[in-house]
Every structure is written in C-alpha cells, then in structure tokens.
C-alpha cells in the first residue's frame, strides 16, 4: 500500500460530466488522497460522444487531459486557481469506450462489443500514464441502435436506459449486465489504477 498521507493533489479534469466526476472522485477517495483543489473543464475530445475502438478512446482521453492541463495552468497564471508549491498537479482524461471483440467489421450483425474504461493522466512526468480496463459485454441490440442514431449524438448507455430502465439509485448510469457493473465502476477502476501508477512513479523519482 502506497503512503498517500503527504500527497496533496490539484486535479484538472477534462470533462464536466457528472459520471466521470463521480468516477474520478471515487477513485481518489479509495486511494486516500488529499485534494487541494478539483477543477472541471469543458474541453473538446475530438472524438464522437460514443468512442468506438481503442484508437478513438486514446485520442479522446489524451485530448481531454492535455487540454485540461492547458486550461488549468492558464487559470493558475490568471490567479483563479491556487496551486501549492509542495503539491502535485495532474490532468485527467477519461473515456468509456466500446471495443469490438470479434474479427469482423464493427457493424457486422454478429459482432460483439465490451464497454471498457480508459484513463490518461498528464503531469510533469516525462510521459503520460495510460490505463485501459476491460469492461462488460454490451447488448448488441443497444450497440446497433446507438450506431443507427449516430455515435456523435447517442451513446449505448442512452439506449440501454430506454430499453431496460435500469440505473443506479442516484445516477443515470445503467447496469449493462447481470453482474451489475456500471460505467462509473469501470471508469473508476481505470482512474484508480492510473493514479496508483502515478504515485509509484513519483515515489521512485523522489528516492
């Protein structure tokens, strides 16, 4: 277990989405990190609202993290955000992505998708930290209907919610499978693992 008692964190999140915010804050709380400030920025991911495939997800999460980093430090320079001298500052970009699992065209009737969580952390380290967590199998009917409506406008979750009415008590994130793993759960794990990698890296550079 990494000692996080003296880690004070400033976070720039590349999204104002409630479910992404919940995932990030949940992950940080599980690691017992002290948040100095948590800042959300609306940024353009450069990918559809529903990313499909790891290339789109990586592009979207990278854009979110890097653009949040730029916006955050701009606001620090303008005096709207305070960053402690002895603290750590990171930017987080995250995407829920649907990933095809069969060697078939993505829109083939026999194709199947899993929804996964991808997180990128940008910091003062030389390289970004990237984590991808495989998620649960999606109902092919929901994927097909979301595709028909257009991934720029519709995500698979929208269709699942309409079809099943399943959602968490305090969130509009539906459960996709009987094991009741939500999009929030999947993304939280990706963020938590990425943050653990970040903490290990900064510990190693300080020893």
């Amino acid at each position: 277990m990494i000692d996080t008692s003296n880690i004070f964190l400033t976070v720039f999140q590349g999204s104002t989405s409630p479910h992404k915010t919940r995932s990030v804050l949940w992950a940080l709380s599980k690691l017992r990190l002290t948040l100095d400030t948590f800042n959300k920025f609306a940024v353009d991911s450069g990918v559809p609202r529903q990313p499909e495939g790891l290339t789109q997800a990586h592009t979207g999460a990278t854009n979110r993290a890097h653009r949040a980093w730029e916006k955050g430090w701009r606001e620090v320079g303008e005096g709207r955000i305070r960053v402690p001298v002895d603290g750590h500052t990171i930017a987080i970009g995250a995407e829920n992505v649907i990933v095809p699992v069969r060697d078939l065209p993505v829109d083939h009737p026999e194709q199947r998708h899993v929804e996964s969580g991808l997180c990128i952390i940008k910091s003062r380290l030389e390289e970004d930290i990237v984590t991808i967590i495989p998620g649960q199998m999606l109902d092919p009917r929901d994927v097909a209907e979301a595709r028909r409506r257009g991934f720029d406008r519709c995500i698979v979750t929208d269709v699942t919610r309409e079809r099943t009415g399943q959602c968490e008590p305090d969130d509009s994130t539906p459960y996709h499978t009987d094991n009741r793993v939500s999009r929030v759960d999947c993304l939280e794990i990706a963020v938590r693992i990425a943050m653990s990698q970040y903490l290990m890296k900064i510990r190693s550079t300080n020893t």
Side-chain angles (χ1 to χ4, degrees), residues 108-113 137-146 163:
H108 191 282
E110 298 299 317
Q111 182 62 271
R112 296 295 180 266
H113 290 75
M137 192 71 69
L138 298 171
D139 191 305
R141 296 171 296 176
D142 298 346
V143 176
E145 176 59 20
R163 181 176 60 81

Side-chain angles (χ1 to χ4, degrees), residues 65 90-93 119-123 127-129 191 194-195 198:
I90 63 168
I92 295 179
C119 176
I120 287 184
I121 292 179
K122 177 172 175 53
S123 66
E127 296 181 350
D128 293 345
I129 293 171
V191 173
M195 273 304 307
Y198 170 75

